Amino acid sequence: MRIVFMGTPEFAVPSLKLLLEQQYNVVAVVTQPDRPKGRKKTLTPPPVKEAALSLGLPVLQPERMRSAEAVAMVAEMQPDLIVTAAYGQILPKALLEIPRLGCINVHGSLLPKYRGGAPIQRSIINGESSTGVTIMYMAEGLDTGDMISVVELPITDEDTSGTMFEKLSIAGAELLGKTLPAIVAGEVKAEPQQHERATYAPNLTRDDERIDWTRPARAIFNQVRGLSPMAGAFTYLNGEVFKVWNCGVPSAATAAKAAAEPGTVVAADSSGIHVQTGEGVLVLKEIQPAGKRTMTAADWLKGARLEAGTRLGDGGAA
């Protein structure tokens, strides 16, 4: 059986490696083109490309998968099955019709919740207590295909997008390994999604990263976790961007303190920067001032003066 694998970020790498470990015949790997990265805009290959080359697999990197040339490129590989995991582009109908066993996707949510490009981040930002991986047949719509198998994982207060990406990538690969034999044997009983229950997880924007201090401490805490360690949440201090990477878990005790306007620093000590929110006080533990490296708030406060009454969030443009 000939398999074409399609994926881009680190999330997809365990699924690709699983196919090789279980001795499936991966004839090609399709991933996004190399992109500029970092301050120096260095052209950087996606993690799936690096993994594929290390495994000795041919790599295809079309700019637009919907182009006739890209579809023809995959068709030449004569795949019996296409497996995708966080590839990053919607596949055209012409491509979906190529493999005789169809196209399946390893999606990082419990469908039909969180269809789209940022399901893991938004599940944390929205305060979900659990998430998971769904393996589904691909259809023309955005994550609308019939579901084949599902695994559920808890989200704890200690989790960030980074930890959940890792957990779900491993869980997704394991689920893929358990699901493939039935697909190959033609014994799958796929379940249609309940489309009326669908929710969406669009890619994150700069507005999603800005902290609104009028929101409750718990909501901002979830926002910070959901954006770490990728983009990071931010506010402004003295008109300059001030990033927040980690916060203390809001408690009933901190929620009881409500003496200042949202965004006001009410204390700054070895435990962190205590900021009034719309509901409760949030303690900032790990921060990144403009032009500086990421550090603990305690370390930054050793050399910086931050007095009670200072307002965060005032001034500056996104």
Side-chain angles (χ1 to χ4, degrees), residues 124 127 156-159 213 215-225 244 246-257 273-285:
I124 296 174
T156 70
D157 279 345
E158 288 69 41
D159 279 314
W213 294 107
R215 301 176 71 214
R218 168 59 71 165
I220 298 171
F221 171 73
N222 292 335
Q223 177 188 12
V224 170
R225 293 190 302 132
V244 181
N246 187 26
C247 303
V249 180
S251 65
T254 59
K257 300 175 184 177
I273 302 168
H274 302 241
V275 184
Q276 180 67 52
T277 72
E279 184 180 312
V281 171
L282 186 64
V283 183
L284 315 186
K285 297 282 191 179

Side-chain angles (χ1 to χ4, degrees), residues 277-298:
T277 72
E279 184 180 312
V281 171
L282 186 64
V283 183
L284 315 186
K285 297 282 191 179
E286 190 174 3
I287 51 88
Q288 185 178 7
K292 298 184 180 295
R293 62 177 177 82
T294 301
M295 64 187 82
T296 65

